[in-house]
Structure formats: C-alpha cells, structure tokens
C-alpha cells in the first residue's frame, strides 16, 4: 500500500479505483460502528476475491479453548475471541441471470469508497460490465444508526446502463459464519431458529459455551426511482442458520432500482426475548423511515463533532488523520453501557481478542473524559470496579495472594484473564498501576471525588495489597524489589525492578493510603463500610508503608537517568539510528532472544512513567531520560509515538513531536506497520488526540485548573480543539501568532497559560 | 502407585497381581529395546482397558507442524515427534469363540510380569476365566534380539485348564497406528503395500514428509507341547495398512498350545529394499530358531553385564535400581550407529520428542565411555560433528551470527532445532558448552587425541565463535557479559550472566584456543586443512581471547559463593526445607512467574559447573556453594540428584549422597514424580551410574590416570563396578573395610587412591 491510496480530504476517507490487493485493507479502514455493533467494509454483494469478513457485536465473545505449545501452570482455560457475528449485510445481486461479483466482472470503472466521517456513513459506487455484457452503475450507502443502535441501513441502488435488466435482489441473514482467529476451527455459533414473515426475516443463534443469544434481522424494501414498490419476496430459502429472500424486478435502462435493507442485532445481554425485540426495532426503523434515519445519523454525528472535533489548518493529511482517529473512537465506544469497553481493534477486526486492556486506562480515558460527559469515564472506571472480585480471584488462584489482593487481567471480556503467554499474562503486572492511575486521573480532571468513596477506594485497596504482596525485601539491596516482570516495553521479559513498575507500585500504595485518610475524614460512613468489607487493619497499612517507603529504583548516577530495569546498561547500546534499516521491524526480523537482549524499546517505558507523573520530575530529568531512551525506541507498538510526541513538544523538540504525531495519527491510513488489513489500532487513536491536546496544546490539570502551554508545528497554520472541563466547554484555537480561548455558556473560566493566570470570559 | 508395586529383586523387575490402574505405568517399566527398536510392554492380545500403545524405531521421526499460541520469530517449523511405529506384537486370541481381553475376563489370577534384566527378556503369565467359562493359563515371553537387531520374538503359550478349547490365533501387523503426542491429530504413516505368503506377512508404510520407509514383518508358527505343527494360516485379512492371519487349533485340556511370532522392522535408513531385507531377517531368525535366539540373547546380555554391571550387597532396592538404569541405557543405545542418539524417554514413550538433548554429552557419555569400547563415545561425538553445518545454519538464520558460529539445537533428530519455547530454544544456549566439554572429556578419559584434529576441532571452533559473538561488552561492568539466557536451572528464564553459562563460554574459547595451538604443533596438516576450511584469522583469535580473558562472573564476596545469575540475592531466600510441602512440586502448583522469581532451583546449575570443572575450584568453595544452592534445589528435574549425590559424597555428606542416589536410581521404579506411565527417564539413568562410580567410588581421571576416593553408604555391605580404562578392565570392589582393585589381562595399571599411587597387578 502506498501513501496515495487514501485520498487526502478534510472530512472523508476516500479510495478511488478498484484494486483487489487493497480490499482487505479497505475493509478495515472503511469500517463502521455505533458503539453497540460494527462491521468491516465488506461488500454486500458476492465477492470471490480475497476478503476478511467481519461483523461484531459489543460484549459478545466466545471462550476459545487455549492453544499453547507447552502448557504452563496458571494459563487460563480459554482466550476470549472477538466473535465474527452473523452477517446481515449480505445481498446477492443477480443481473440478467448473472451473479454480480467484482472479482469476475469484465470491467469495473469509477470504483470509489467514501467514509464520510462528518455525517457517519459509508458509501461505495462503481460501474461494472458483467460477463453477460450488462453494464450497471451501483451506488451503496450504509450506516449504523447512532441513535437506534441495534439497527443499520443499507441503500443499494442499481442503474442498468446499456440495456434493460432483470435484477434479482437476494438479501440474506447468515449465522453460519466463522472466525479467522479460531484456535481449533470450532464453530462458535449454534443456530436456534429461523423465522420470516412479509419482508422481515430473523435468524436466532447463540454462542456456544457463553450462550449469548442473538437475533439477527432484516427488513427489505424494493424501490424504483426512489419509490417503494411495496413488493413481497417471491421466495424464501432457509437452512438451519441462514435465510435468504428473493425479489425480482425488471428495470428499464437508465432507471434507478434499489433495495433498502434494514438489519441488525438484538441480544440477550439487553433483552429477555430477542425475537420480539427485533420486531420492535424493525417497526421503529420503518416508522422513522430511511431519509429521517439518515438525517438523524448526520445530526448525531454533528453533535459528536461539535464537542470532539479537532481542526487543523494548512495540513490536510494531519487533519484527516486526527478526524479518522476521533471518528473511530466514537464508533467503538459510546460510553452508554458500563459492561462494555474499548477493544484494541474495536469493530474493525478480530485480532488480539478480548475487549479490555490497560490501553483503556492509560490512553483512552483522557479522550473520553475531555470530549464527553464525565459519566462516560466514570462508566469505564465502574467496569473495573464491577470486575474487582474476579481480579482478587485471579491473584489468589494464580499467585497464591491473599486478603483481597487484586491483579486485574491483561486481557479480558468479563473480568477473567484470558491471555496466555506467561511473560505477558503473569508478568506484565504494571497494568494494575494504570487502573489505579485512572481513578486519580478521573478525580484530577473532573473534580468528582464521589467515585472514590463509592467504588474506587476498594479498587485502590485491592491494588495496593497486590503490590505489597508482590514486592519482596532484598537483603542484598536492603530495599524492596519487584522481580520477574514485563514492563510496558514488551521487548523485555522477566526482568527485575522495571523502573515504571516499581514506581507505579509505590505510587499505588501511597495513593491508596492517602485516599484512605481522606475518605475516613470526609466520608466516614463509607470508610467504615469499606474497612469492614475488606478487613483492612492498621498493621497491614503499616506493612504497605514499609514497602512503599523503601522501594528500590534502578538508576545511573553517571548518566543521570533512571534505568528501565536492573542491568539495562550491560546491553550493547547501539542507538536505533545506527541500526541497519534492513533489520527492522525487529519483531519481524529477529528471533525473540535477540529482541530481548537488544537495547531496543517497543514503546515508552521509563518515559511512560514520566508521562503519568510528570510533576514528580524536573524538566532536566525529563530531557536526560527522553534523550537517552528515545534513541533506543523503535516504536513497534502503536501506543508508543503519542507519549514521545507529547514529551518532545514539552522539550521544544517540535520537529520530532510533529513526526511522532504524523506517525500516530496516520498509522492506519498510511499503514506504517503493513498490517491494517487485520483491523485498525483503535486504542492508540486516543493517544493521537493526546498528542495534540496535551502535546502541542500543552494541556494539563493542576490544582483544579486547566493549564496550557500552546505550541504549533511549523507545518500547520493553526489548529483548535475543545475541552469539556467540569461541564464548561472551552475552545482553544492556536495559530502562529496567538492562542484564542473561548468558553461556552455564561460563566467565566480561570485557566493558566504558560504559567500565567488567564480568565476566559464567555462571549456575550 | 506405591513403593511395593515393584517387588525387590536383584536381577528382575517383577509385578504381581493384575491392577488395571497400573497397566500404563507397567507398560513403561517393562519396556524392552535393543538399540535399534523398542516397545512398551503392551499386551499382545486385545486389551480394552487404559493403555498407552508404543513401538519405536531408532532414527525414525515425524516433523509435526509446530503448535504454539503466539508465534515468535525464529520458532522452527516443526517439532520432531518420536513416532509410534507400526505394531507387530499384536496377536488377537479367540478362545472357544471369545476374544481374550483381560479387561473383560470374569477372573484374572496369578498375574505376573517379569523383566529379566540379566537375560534380556520380558515374561508375562496369568490364569484367566473367560466369560464363556473357559479357564486358561497363559505364559508369554518376548524379547528383541540384541544380535539380530531388526527382529524380536514372542512365544505366546496357552493351556486350557478346565476343558478343551478351540483357540484361534490371529497375529497381525498394523500400520494404522497413531501418536498420543500429535499436535494436529494428523496421520503420520502412509501405507504403501501389504504382502503375505506362507506364514509370513509384510506391511510397508512410510512416514509422511520424512519418507522413512519401513517394512513391518511377521512370521508365525503354531506349536503344541513345544512341537511345531507346521500349519499354515486358514485366512489372511488385509486392509490398506493392516494384515491379520488366522490359525485355528483344537487344544485338549491341559495341553500347551503356543504361537511363536517373529516380527520386526527393516527400514530405508539401512536398506534400499526394505521388503527383501525383511525376507532375509525372517530367514535368518528361522535358521537360528527360537531356542538359540533366546540363548543368544542371554549370551549377549551376559556380555553386556560382564562389563557394565554394578553390584551392591545388602541393599536389594539399591541393587535393583542401578541394574534397571544400566539395563535401560543398554536397551536404548548400543553405540553401533553414529546416526542415532539417546532420547530422553528412549523406547519407553513419546514425550519430549527429538532424540538428542545436551543430556547426551553432560550425563550419558561418561557411562558409555567407561563401560563400552571407546568407539561408542566417539560415535556420539561424531553425531554432533556430522550436524555441525546445521548448527552453523541455526546460528546464522536465527541469530544473524556469521563466519561459522555454531549453535547446536536444544532438541533435534537430524541436527535441525525443533523445540519451540523461546526461553529454551533460543536462550538455553549453555548446551553448546556441554558439547565442547564432551570432546575434552572424551580425550581426558580415553587418551585418544586423534578425534580432535580429525573432527573435534571444527566443532570447538564453531562453538568458540558462537560464544565470542554471543557475549557483548558491557561498558558499565567493563567486562564481557552474556545476557538473556536460560541456564541448566530451567526455573529461571531470560536471565543475565548465568554463572554456569558464562563460565563454560569462557572455557570453550580457552579450550578451543589451546587445541588450535596443539593441533598446529602436532598435526600441522590437519591444522592447515581446518584453518583454510573455517577461515580463522589471527585477528579473530585475538578477539576471542579478549572475550574469554575478560568475562564477567557474578559472585558474592560476602557469602563466598558464585551467583547463579545477576541479582540472585534479591530473591526472597526461603530455603526448600521451610517451604510448605503442599506447595510442591512447584512446577505443578505454581504459575510460571512464581516459579521464576522464587529462589528454587530445578537442577544443579552453579553446581553443574563445579561438577564439570571440579579441579578449578577448592573444596572449600565447593562446600560453600553446595551448601548454599542445595538448600534451594527442589530437584524437579531427573537430571539433578546425581550431581548433588556426587558432590555430597565428595563433601563427606554420605547420608545426603545416599538419599540422592536412591532418588535418582529408583526415580522410575518408585515413580517419584508420578509420571512413569509416560515413559522412563532414560538419560538421567546415566547420572545414576555416575553417582556410584564418581560419587561413592570417587573416580576421576587426571593426568591420564584413574583416581579413586572410595566411600560407602552405611546402608550397604559392599559394591563393585568395572571401568574400561584405555582398553584395560579395572574392577573395583568396595566394602566397609577395604577396596579391592583388580585388572584383567596381563598388564599392570597405575592408579591413584585417595591421593596415593597404587599399582594394580593382573592376577596371574
């Protein structure tokens, strides 16, 4: 894929020309979603070329039996696979007796895809000559309703160009789908029931083992030149897991024929009777009507953009990049449902499985916190609170920990760990720190303390207990150490005293201890309730403090840096710039042991600590550590460039900051890692947002006040973003001459700009 | 299984009474082999109870496609599975119309198994009452001919006890067998041809992918009261991969009826035409006749025991244990064929796969060197020499090493690496050291230097080059370090500066350098040939020396010990004696991260270094290191107790030495690790031999002279062993009063006993 494949455009993702080689990549990039479901941009009609079929429903997964070469004690029984859900978008098209298939047409002209991010729809058009000589023009618009989030709509329009055509529309529902990512080629869906009446059809299936029941439905209308013909299907073909109806029409040359297909899912997570729920959704959608559904969609996205848009002037690619990131984040997670979370591929692919990683707390929460109602971030915190019991069980079962120590899973769908590489599953324990940090961050940003006495404190206690038990006293160092971990830099495994891990461990204990005091003073009844529930004694607290107060941190006095881990300086310290380009990406070129003993860093690790706890360190320290570690960082994680971009901006290394920004914002659009066909990197997209707002904008929250230190890349004319700070909407617009702050509503807002107090008054 | 299950006996392994629960364990313990093939003690007749079927042919394997959960770059494409070979032992038995099956008989009496180690045969007898009321006595003897090593013989004798019986013998050959250990449930054998004539039958099959062609054959005779009835089969049933013949006889009550089945394999490794080769083997076996085959077997084993027996007086269990170990080693590897090696389960199971581990060099060579002609050990060295090219390719392909650096595989069948856990495959590189050490050890013991200029030096150079390239200079330490390894103690992964690894790395370079000098002086034409072949420059040699001369070794001055690795003293150093027994074995009770960060040691690591290089360290150092590390060693590897036993003996800790001896010698017989049903621990059996000869006997070779420091456990009255030292056979007999040395032949032998020179004169 080259960088011209996606056309630069401020508001849309546009592909022009049909290239079978790009189909799978485009299926990822043009994916649509509405928080409750999503789908790759698979063709509606038959396609016999290479494709990666994917439809996904939030919260629905399959516990695929673990597959490993060598079983290690403590591996979970299953890996929670993101499930390819029943297909409701399929419409076979027969034109004068020939099945439409872009892979077998004699010609395909003017093929174009557009993902209109402003209005939230996906459009595809082309002209094709079939083998039987019929020429047709095709226009398809598809969207998943943001408001009526169990439904989507397809408007599939065909115009015969050179002759009249008999068109047979054969829309179908198919629960006989498979996953590309399946350990044992098992079937994941058990068909239960197939029903139809009138223009409606329903396939109900449930997942094996997890027994999520899903009714997949469709309702079809046939139109000519925009007018509903009100015809009924001539035929229904059904199998145990598929139903297909047929509508045959004769269309005169030049006339526009169309099928409108309403489809979607109702699931047992939300309904006792998924079938009657599906009936109701269809009725609602029909009542609203296609045109109004589209208008509602445009309005819903306008509302989203109103708050979350970032504008960039003078750099279309940068503008397109950030909007693509913001669009995907909003497609993936709406924040309405605290049972859901933000999967690394969202609704764009199956890879990695699970829905919840530390990405949520470390990268995503700041975006949702600043661009949504604070309830959204609170829901993400509550998700973890609701899984606290499972985290306690995890620490108990696998590590023999006790008294309510909690280890949150590396990957999960339901609170149970489902990842299975010992070096990650069992050792990448720093994830626990990010979960505590998110509670702190939520309070810092929103000022809403109530979450902590209500729920957060219990999570903080479980996590503090974990660190207390996980550290051990080294007689040799006369300090507490944390042995055998994998830090954020996954290119090191089973290391001792990862600086980031040790630092956040100490911080977690300190923070939990402080909150215990604060809650005891300010929310005594909550304090009493919690202490009784978790049985926390003063003696235990003293033990915590011993660990936190005497934690060991590896450092080099000579270099003035913290060490990523013990013995880091024993490595052969050849910086990335001196590494032969043919050796990169190292994770594709080198055996794992070479990667591990090299000095190369996958993603920010010590620097991640500086990002979280910036105010604990001086600018000088940041500079020394940044310059040391940046020189060894290969950024082979999508989560890496954003932190480097923010810190480069803070250090006035604007060229570097801009380069990192482009890399993070156009990672998928320009397919830096040659893997976008597997899906997009959703969680890192929130990091892109941070690069602008926290990086270039220099936004921080200190002492209940927003701070800014605005900078602008020389490549840009100006940029703007909005922040929902404690229910006041602040707009920040920055160009090379000035920064303009404006605030909605009637109340003024005190902020700090480059260390000076500024009062932003509302426009009158 | 309890410790009374195997009856104590000096020469035999005996089981009494039929216990369906023990069948799989007994199938392992009563396995037979002749170096070229072997088989678990599966019943000949049908058995519908739990069984683990296994027949194995040396050198025949299947490259089973690698199965891992998360692919890591550099993993081999396949794992070489020990193949369950076609079954030739099967004989279905019909008694008065009922199929004999011990699982469905109404009564089984006097069931007894005996593995007669002295004479090399396996016998099984029982009386059974069938459901049809017929009572029979059954006696079966089976052996695999040591001399005619492509053939085995079964004498299966039935006596009807309470009535006349119509007996139908249905001997068969079956290539439709499967492996228990198969990654993808693939079929490993492709049937090619089924033939029969007269009393002979042949099934030819080949392995998929590797295309080893194997003709499995049988020839059957029916006897009554010992007289061959010379009858032909009434019937042959054939399928594509199985052939079964039928012989029906009427046997009067009290008469002995029998079938003699000659069977075995001829393989394309040894024959162009495996079918005609099989014909020839049958003819040879018939010409010799059953009685003489048995006598030859007894004679062959007498010859083996004559040289390799160890006697122990006053401790039947210890006696039985050591003989079982010696017997199994001789069954597994005869040393005739330098394409073969010593698999960890020999011919007793499938587990682990591959045939060659560092076990061969570290544990097995001393046994074969001292009890066989020196050609046997030389064949084992040559095996590695023949695989040098593959070891060079391995280092090149996976590590990017150059100029002929060689990394021998962790597990192999043909020189290619086939193991696939990164922490083992890529990091357990110390194996290279043992391969070099074996060359040194061979020369030290045999005095045969010719191997080094002929072959060994090239191996030493490849290995030295590996260490030179694998170490890196640490600016921080100002020394060379070796990062990211797994040492012999596999309960640590990806550690830095494993003392054992660093030490043997330095030693390998030093030893290769010395041999280069010696060969250049003493074998100048070999030196020239090799230097030209491997393109070794003086500059490279100087680089080697820099690494070896400035290698870093972790140690604690305070404790006076070497450290197993950097930061070992940071661990929570709770000795094994204070570890809750319920937590053991830790590899079954703990998640892997807990195992890793614990101080517990799977097998000797620093102590393995002291074992190899005893003379480099003082007794005081040994004592300090032994006492420190022994206290943390859980011996969850079969390879651990022997080294500890030898060192305990050296340190006069005789009770400890004896306990370790028992543990190693009866590991399988007493099923310490509750896993003998998977097969026996063959390679560790050589360690048992070392425990006596090097441990209690204190045998060492220094300066071309055998040294002894005889000790005896208080539990024993006396013990004796023989050593083939440079073609002189020395017998050593030790009791509480004295040690008696005697030498065969006419030449005296100078030895050292407790530091004093002794001349052993031959008896006149």
């Amino acid at each position: 894929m080259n960088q011209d494949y996606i056309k630069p455009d401020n508001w849309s993702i546009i592909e022009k020309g049909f290239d079978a080689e790009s189909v799978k990549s485009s299926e990822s990039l043009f994916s649509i979603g509405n928080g409750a479901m999503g789908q790759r941009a698979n063709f509606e009609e038959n396609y016999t070329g290479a494709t990666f079929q994917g439809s996904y429903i939030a919260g629905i997964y399959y516990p695929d039996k673990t597959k490993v070469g060598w079983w290690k004690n403590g591996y979970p029984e299953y890996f929670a696979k993101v499930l390819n859900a029943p297909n409701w978008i399929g419409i076979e098209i027969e034109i004068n007796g020939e099945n439409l298939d872009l892979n077998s047409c004699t010609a395909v002209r003017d093929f174009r895809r557009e993902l209109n991010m402003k209005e939230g729809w996906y459009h595809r058009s082309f002209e094709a000559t079939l083998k039987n000589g019929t020429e047709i023009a095709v226009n398809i618009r598809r969207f998943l309703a943001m408001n009526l989030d169990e439904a989507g709509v397809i408007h599939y329009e065909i115009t015969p160009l050179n002759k009249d055509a008999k068109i047979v529309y054969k829309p179908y529902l198919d629960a006989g789908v498979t996953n590309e990512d399946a350990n044992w080629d098992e079937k994941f869906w058990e068909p239960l029931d197939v029903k139809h009446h009138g223009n409606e059809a329903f396939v109900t299936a449930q997942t094996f083992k997890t027994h999520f029941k899903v009714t997949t439905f469709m309702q079809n209308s046939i139109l000519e030149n925009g007018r509903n013909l009100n015809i009924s299907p001539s035929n229904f073909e059904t199998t145990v897991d598929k139903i297909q109806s047929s509508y045959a029409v004769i269309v005169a040359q030049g006339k526009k024929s169309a099928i409108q297909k309403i489809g979607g899912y109702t699931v047992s997570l939300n309904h006792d009777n998924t079938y009657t729920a599906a009936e109701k959704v269809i009725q609602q959608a029909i009542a609203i009507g296609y045109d109004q559904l589209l208008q509602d969609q445009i309005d819903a996205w306008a509302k989203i953009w109103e708050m979350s848009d970032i504008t960039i002037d003078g750099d279309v690619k940068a503008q397109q990049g950030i909007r693509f990131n913001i669009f995907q984040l909003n497609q993936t997670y709406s924040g309405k449902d605290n049972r859901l979370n933000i999967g690394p591929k969202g609704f764009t692919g199956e890879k990695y499985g699970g829905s919840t990683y530390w990405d949520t707390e470390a990268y995503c929460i700041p975006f949702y916190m600043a661009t949504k109602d604070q309830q959204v971030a609170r829901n993400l915190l509550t998700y973890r609170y609701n899984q606290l019991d499972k985290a306690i069980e995890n620490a108990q079962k696998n590590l023999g920990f006790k008294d309510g120590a909690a280890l949150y899973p590396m990957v999960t769908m339901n609170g149970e760990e489902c990842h299975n590489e010992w070096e990650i599953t069992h050792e990448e324990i720093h994830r626990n720190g990010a979960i505590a940090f998110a509670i702190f961050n939520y309070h810092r940003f929103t000022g809403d303390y109530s979450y902590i006495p209500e729920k957060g404190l219990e999570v903080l206690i479980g996590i503090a207990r974990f660190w207390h038990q996980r550290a051990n006293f080294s007689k040799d160092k006369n300090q507490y150490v944390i042995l055998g971990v994998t830090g954020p830099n996954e290119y090191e495994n089973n290391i001792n005293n990862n600086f980031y891990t040790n630092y956040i461990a100490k911080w977690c204990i300190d923070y939990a201890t402080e909150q215990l005091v604060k809650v005891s003073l300010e929310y005594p009844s909550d304090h009493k309730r919690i202490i009784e529930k978790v049985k926390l004694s003063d003696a235990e607290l003293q033990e915590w403090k011993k660990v936190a107060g005497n934690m060991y941190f590896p450092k080099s006095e000579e270099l003035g840096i913290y060490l990523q881990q013990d013995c880091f300086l024993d490595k052969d310290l050849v910086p990335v710039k001196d590494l032969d380009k043919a050796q990169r990406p190292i994770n594709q070129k080198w055996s794992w042991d070479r990667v591990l003993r090299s000095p190369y860093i996958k993603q920010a690790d010590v620097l991640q600590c500086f990002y979280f706890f910036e105010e604990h360190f001086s600018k000088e320290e940041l500079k020394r550590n940044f310059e040391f570690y940046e020189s060894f960082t290969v950024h082979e994680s999508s989560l890496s460039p954003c932190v480097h971009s923010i810190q480069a901006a803070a250090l006035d290394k604007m060229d570097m900051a801009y380069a990192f920004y482009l890399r993070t914002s156009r990672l998928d659009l320009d397919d830096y890692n040659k893997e976008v066909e597997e899906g997009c990197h959703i969680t890192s997209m929130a990091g892109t947002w941070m690069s602008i707002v926290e990086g270039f904008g220099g936004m921080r929250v200190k002492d209940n006040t927003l701070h800014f230190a605005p900078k602008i890349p020389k490549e840009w004319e100006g940029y703007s973003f909005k922040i929902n700070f404690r229910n006041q909407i602040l707009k920040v617009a920055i160009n090379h001459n000035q920064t303009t702050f404006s605030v909605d509503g009637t109340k003024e807002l005190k902020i700090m700009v480059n260390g000076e107090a500024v009062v932003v008054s509302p426009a009158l």
Side-chain angles (χ1 to χ4, degrees), chain A:
Chain A
M1 196 185 299
N2 64 55
Q3 298 207 358
D4 293 334
Y5 151 66
I6 295 299
K7 307 301 160 208
D9 185 280
N10 280 333
W11 272 113
S12 285
I13 307 301
I14 296 166
E15 178 189 14
K16 283 184 180 168
F18 181 65
D19 172 14
E21 293 293 304
S22 299
V23 166
K24 288 186 358 175
S25 299
S26 294
E27 284 173 343
S28 298
L29 290 173
F30 291 84
S31 291
I32 53 177
N34 66 2
M37 61 173 159
Q39 44 190 228
R40 291 170 56 80
N42 303 130
F43 297 163
E44 290 82 1
E45 75 278 3
N46 252 21
Y47 181 63
T48 54
T51 167
F52 169 19
Q53 296 285 308
S55 295
Y56 311 101
I57 307 171
I60 305 294
Y61 65 95
Y62 178 80
D64 203 15
K65 202 184 118 215
T66 299
K67 183 180 83 172
V68 293
W70 301 87
W71 188 267
K72 293 228 196 300
N73 219 28
Y75 278 164
E77 298 291 310
Y78 69 87
F79 193 97
K81 289 291 161 74
V82 168
L83 259 186
N84 183 21
N87 178 341
W88 68 257
I89 66 159
I91 309 172
E92 279 187 88
I93 306 284
E94 218 178 274
I95 310 277
N96 288 332
E98 181 178 334
N99 209 299
L100 174 61
D101 172 3
L102 289 189
N103 197 39
S104 68
C105 285
T106 57
V108 178
R109 290 176 300 278
D110 296 338
F111 181 90
R112 182 180 184 277
R113 298 190 198 237
E114 177 178 358
L115 181 65
N116 188 306
M117 301 186 288
K118 185 171 186 182
E119 303 190 341
W121 46 258
Y122 162 57
H123 184 270
R124 178 167 61 104
S125 56
F126 58 87
E127 288 185 14
T129 307
L130 279 76
K131 280 181 292 188
N132 63 20
T134 316
E135 292 179 22
I136 54 171
V138 178
N139 274 280
I140 311 131
R141 191 193 307 271
R142 188 160 103 199
F143 59 90
L144 302 182
M146 293 301 282
N147 295 345
L148 189 66
D149 69 6
E150 290 164 315
V153 188
I154 299 167
H155 182 91
Y156 196 108
E157 181 195 87
I158 304 172
T159 310
L161 296 177
N162 64 341
K163 56 174 91 165
D164 296 352
K166 179 183 177 192
I167 300 178
V168 187
Y169 295 103
K170 296 183 184 172
Y172 62 87
L173 304 173
D174 183 7
V177 294
T178 55
N179 261 51
E180 296 228 339
D181 182 18
N183 287 344
W184 309 96
D185 294 328
E186 289 176 328
K187 269 196 83 90
F188 292 169
W189 290 99
E190 180 185 10
L192 295 177
D193 187 33
V194 176
K195 273 198 180 76
H196 67 90
H197 53 76
N199 287 301
E200 300 176 12
F202 308 84
V203 172
T204 302
Q206 70 179 2
T207 52
F208 284 101
K209 298 186 189 171
T210 34
H211 300 139
F212 293 112
K213 201 189 264 191
V214 172
T215 294
T216 308
F217 59 84
M218 64 174 175
Q219 188 276 347
N220 300 289
S221 313
I222 306 298
L223 289 77
E224 191 175 89
N225 276 357
R227 186 177 56 84
N228 191 334
L229 298 178
N230 287 318
I231 58 173
S232 297
S234 57
N235 182 35
F236 274 99
E237 278 180 52
T238 63
T239 66
V240 68
D241 52 13
K242 185 174 174 181
I243 183 162
Q244 182 160 34
S245 55
S246 293
Y247 299 86
V249 287
I250 307 293
V251 183
Q253 184 181 349
K255 292 257 182 195
K256 289 183 196 310
S257 170
I259 179 169
Q260 273 179 9
K261 183 177 189 181
I262 296 168
Y265 309 105
T266 48
V267 302
S268 57
L269 275 174
N270 301 321
H271 302 284
D272 289 335
N273 185 327
T274 56
Y275 170 71
T276 56
E279 292 259 26
K280 207 172 289 172
V281 175
I282 291 175
Q283 284 155 22
Q284 284 177 278
I286 292 174
I288 299 169
Y290 176 80
D291 292 342
Q292 189 58 44
L293 281 167
L294 179 58
Q295 190 55 53
D296 288 352
Q297 183 77 349
I298 294 167
D299 294 347
W301 275 99
K303 222 171 131 188
I304 291 169
W305 287 115
E306 170 64 23
M307 186 59 228
S308 61
D309 191 24
I310 291 183
T311 67
I312 297 175
D313 296 329
D315 190 341
V316 180
K317 285 194 152 196
Q319 174 69 79
Q320 188 179 35
I322 185 65
R323 284 200 172 123
F324 182 67
N325 287 267
I326 294 169
F327 181 72
Q328 287 291 359
L329 288 164
N330 278 288
Q331 288 207 120
T332 304
Y333 183 74
S334 70
K336 289 181 217 165
D337 186 340
N338 71 20
R339 297 168 303 178
L340 304 182
N341 214 288
I342 306 147
K345 296 274 166 212
F347 299 121
T348 70
E350 301 168 1
K351 205 180 171 186
Y352 300 127
S355 70
T356 315
Y357 290 62
W358 74 294
D359 305 25
T360 295
E361 284 78 11
Y363 301 94
C364 298
I365 280 186
F367 166 78
Y368 289 105
M369 211 152 52
T371 67
K372 304 276 171 201
D373 186 89
Q374 72 184 40
Q375 184 60 36
V376 171
R378 195 174 166 124
N379 276 350
L380 286 170
L381 300 187
T382 300
Y383 177 94
R384 296 289 195 177
Y385 174 75
N386 291 339
Q387 297 181 350
L388 177 59
D389 288 349
K390 294 242 168 82
I392 291 172
E393 198 183 309
N394 185 32
Q396 207 167 27
K397 209 174 57 182
N398 285 320
L399 300 172
F401 283 14
K402 52 191 184 177
D403 303 330
L407 175 59
Y408 279 93
M410 191 66 203
V411 179
T412 192
M413 272 288 187
N414 63 354
E416 287 168 2
E417 176 65 78
C418 69
H419 193 273
N420 48 41
E421 282 179 300
W422 64 264
E423 60 271 26
I424 307 285
T425 313
H426 296 147
E427 296 208 337
E428 205 172 331
I429 54 175
H430 68 79
R431 59 195 185 241
N432 246 11
I435 290 164
F437 181 81
I439 295 172
F440 159 79
N441 202 16
Y442 171 80
H443 171 231
R444 176 172 63 175
F445 189 90
T446 65
D448 168 25
Y449 194 73
S450 70
Y451 178 74
I452 292 178
E454 277 175 36
K455 297 176 174 165
L457 187 57
E458 285 179 56
V459 173
L460 295 175
I461 291 169
I463 289 174
R465 282 174 154 166
F466 171 82
W467 290 119
H468 162 233
Q469 292 177 42
R470 184 60 171 73
N472 72 275
F473 186 72
S474 162
K475 273 196 196 158
D476 199 52
K477 294 198 160 68
N478 201 27
Q479 286 190 291
Y480 284 89
V481 293
I482 300 182
L483 306 180
V485 306
T486 294
N489 170 19
E490 291 172 328
Y491 287 177
E492 302 277 355
N493 294 155
N494 195 44
I495 53 173
N496 293 336
N497 295 307
N498 173 255
F499 174 71
Y500 174 84
T501 305
N502 286 23
Y503 198 92
I504 208 163
K506 170 191 163 49
W507 177 86
C508 285
I509 297 177
D510 287 343
Y511 184 65
T513 311
E514 285 164 25
Q515 300 322 302
L516 274 161
V517 173
K518 187 169 160 85
V519 171
S520 78
L521 297 173
E522 299 174 17
Y523 302 81
S525 72
D526 284 312
H527 186 262
K528 186 160 178 287
R529 171 181 57 77
I530 292 166
I531 294 298
E532 281 170 12
K533 181 174 173 191
V534 306
K535 300 190 181 59
L536 182 65
S537 67
D538 277 346
E540 187 182 342
L541 263 178
Q542 293 316 311
E543 289 298 315
W544 290 10
K545 286 179 187 166
K546 259 165 60 183
V547 172
N550 195 18
M551 182 67 79
Y552 163 76
F553 301 111
K555 55 182 168 245
S556 162
E557 298 295 350
E558 190 190 333
L559 300 175
I561 58 168
Y562 293 99
L563 293 181
Q564 186 180 273
Q565 72 241 18
D566 274 347
C567 305
F568 187 86
L569 295 180
D570 281 339
K571 288 169 181 282
D572 190 13
L573 293 167
V574 176
V576 176
K577 69 176 170 50
D578 297 336
L579 177 64
D580 180 4
K581 280 210 170 56
Q583 304 289 313
R584 296 179 65 185
I586 61 171
N587 73 357
Q588 287 171 28
K589 299 295 171 70
W590 287 1
S591 64
W592 192 241
D593 60 315
R594 272 183 97 177
V595 171
L596 292 177
R597 68 178 178 274
S598 82
Y600 303 120
I601 298 171
K602 184 183 178 193
Q603 73 177 88
D605 189 303
V606 170
L607 298 181
Q608 183 73 35
C609 185
F610 275 74
Y611 170 68
F612 275 174
F613 303 109
E614 188 183 40
E615 65 277 24
H616 298 190
F617 304 99
S618 71
K619 196 72 150 270
E620 257 315 297
E621 280 179 300
L622 173 62
K623 184 166 186 290
R624 279 196 305 269
N625 282 274
F626 181 87
E627 288 174 356
F628 182 79
Y629 287 108
E630 201 284 318
S631 74
F632 298 111
T633 303
V634 287
H635 301 292
E636 290 175 13
S637 162
S638 65
L639 298 169
S640 190
C642 60
V643 170
H644 282 248
S645 181
I646 294 166
Q647 293 175 337
L651 294 168
D652 285 320
K653 298 171 187 284
M654 285 300 285
D655 287 347
M656 206 183 238
Y658 178 69
F660 284 127
Y661 165 76
L662 269 196
R663 182 163 175 153
T664 177
S665 74
R666 294 189 63 88
L667 176 69
D668 291 320
L669 290 179
D670 293 339
D671 201 10
Y672 274 83
N673 294 342
K674 312 254 174 289
E675 58 181 19
V676 78
E677 62 179 43
E678 297 169 346
C680 299
H681 297 82
I682 301 300
T683 47
S684 71
M685 292 179 174
T688 305
W689 179 92
M690 300 193 308
S691 309
I692 294 185
V693 174
E694 302 181 10
F696 303 140
M699 185 191 84
R700 304 287 187 275
V701 179
K702 296 178 197 168
D703 301 327
N704 298 303
T705 305
L706 278 175
H707 290 234
F708 294 91
K711 291 172 186 173
I712 180 167
K714 65 178 185 301
E715 291 80 0
W716 297 357
E717 292 167 13
Y719 67 102
S720 75
F721 56 86
K722 285 187 181 175
I723 298 297
N724 177 354
F725 186 68
R726 305 186 179 185
N727 301 320
Q728 282 187 282
I729 311 296
L730 177 73
K731 184 172 176 185
V732 184
I734 298 162
N735 64 29
H736 289 279
N737 303 317
Q738 61 181 27
T739 302
T740 312
F741 296 93
S742 49
V743 65
D744 284 3
T746 55
K747 237 174 69 187
E748 64 178 29
L749 179 66
K750 286 189 188 129
I751 61 172
M752 300 287 285
V753 180
N754 293 324
E756 310 270 325
V758 170
V759 176
V760 186
S761 301
L764 294 181

